[in-house]
Amino acid sequence: MPQHPVAGRQRQPETGQVEVEWYAIVFEVIDMRSFSNLWFWIALAVLWSTASHWVLGVPYDLVLRARRRGGEAAEDVHLLIGVHTRRLLHVAEVSGIWLVAALCFALTMLAMLGFWYRLEFAQALFCLALPMALVGVLSLRAARRIAAGGLQGEGLYRALARHRLGVQALGMLSIFVTAMWGMYQNLNLGAF
């Protein structure tokens, strides 16, 4: 069957119509070499932007508004923090061991596929998943601190700001390490 000049399509000899090979188009749009793909870097930026904005389930702009004005915004923050900390602590208490086991299995599988078998897609997923697991640990620690201290008002806002700063620092470190590893992978593959 003669190849059509457009990749992913073949011309049918008897009808002259173009048949679309969907898997070829999908793999052209979603390149499995993740570190050279723009979509991976957009996903990384959106992931860390979202993780930094939502502090224990509360949008940080609401925390700032509550800190400045009080009133209804402060009530909303206290209500949302109460709901999300109780939920997080309940999930950790009820199924924490199983979640940790599943997370360790998944991270180990991604690490083995990525770094032992050199599957770049698994390396990229590992670079996204490991720091998010650490964000989960930080969130659980902050929720325990808030629940144990019964924090309200300015103390609560300081705890949320401290948690957000920790998430942002982890995000900057994660983006830096991911970018360095991605550049190494692109240069290493470009050499062959």
Side-chain angles (χ1 to χ4, degrees), residues 55 60 63-64 67 154-168:
V55 182
Y60 197 69
V63 175
L64 292 177
R67 193 176 221 173
E154 191 59 36
L156 176 63
Y157 305 144
R158 269 196 306 271
L160 292 174
R162 208 172 24 249
H163 174 66
R164 182 175 189 243
L165 187 65
V167 169
Q168 287 176 331

Side-chain angles (χ1 to χ4, degrees), residues 15-28:
T15 63
Q17 294 179 340
V18 176
E19 176 186 316
V20 177
E21 294 179 8
W22 290 106
Y23 66 91
I25 292 173
V26 168
F27 281 107
E28 282 178 29

Side-chain angles (χ1 to χ4, degrees), residues 25-172:
I25 292 173
V26 168
F27 281 107
E28 282 178 29
V29 174
I30 303 173
D31 185 11
M32 296 312 257
R33 286 194 48 236
S34 300
F35 295 113
S36 62
N37 191 336
L38 178 64
W39 291 108
F40 171 76
W41 298 105
I42 291 172
L44 182 70
V46 168
L47 180 76
W48 282 109
S49 174
T50 304
S52 164
H53 179 68
W54 292 89
V55 182
L56 289 177
V58 179
Y60 197 69
D61 62 308
L62 183 62
V63 175
L64 292 177
R65 195 172 342 125
R67 193 176 221 173
R68 277 188 237 128
R69 297 183 195 156
E72 190 176 316
E75 291 173 16
D76 290 345
V77 167
H78 286 89
L79 180 67
L80 286 172
I81 284 294
V83 168
H84 287 289
T85 54
R86 284 191 301 273
R87 180 181 166 273
L88 189 59
L89 293 174
H90 176 73
V91 168
E93 182 182 314
V94 170
S95 58
I97 293 173
W98 292 105
L99 287 174
V100 168
L103 183 65
C104 288
F105 173 77
L107 288 173
T108 303
M109 182 184 66
L110 286 174
M112 290 296 292
L113 286 172
F115 300 105
W116 183 260
Y117 291 106
R118 300 196 186 282
L119 184 62
E120 189 173 322
F121 188 68
Q123 291 174 5
L125 288 178
F126 183 80
C127 289
L128 295 174
L130 179 65
M132 282 298 116
L134 296 177
V135 167
V137 170
L138 288 176
S139 296
L140 183 61
R141 194 177 103 199
R144 282 196 175 132
R145 190 178 311 133
I146 289 169
L151 297 177
Q152 298 283 325
E154 191 59 36
L156 176 63
Y157 305 144
R158 269 196 306 271
L160 292 174
R162 208 172 24 249
H163 174 66
R164 182 175 189 243
L165 187 65
V167 169
Q168 287 176 331
L170 181 61
M172 288 188 326

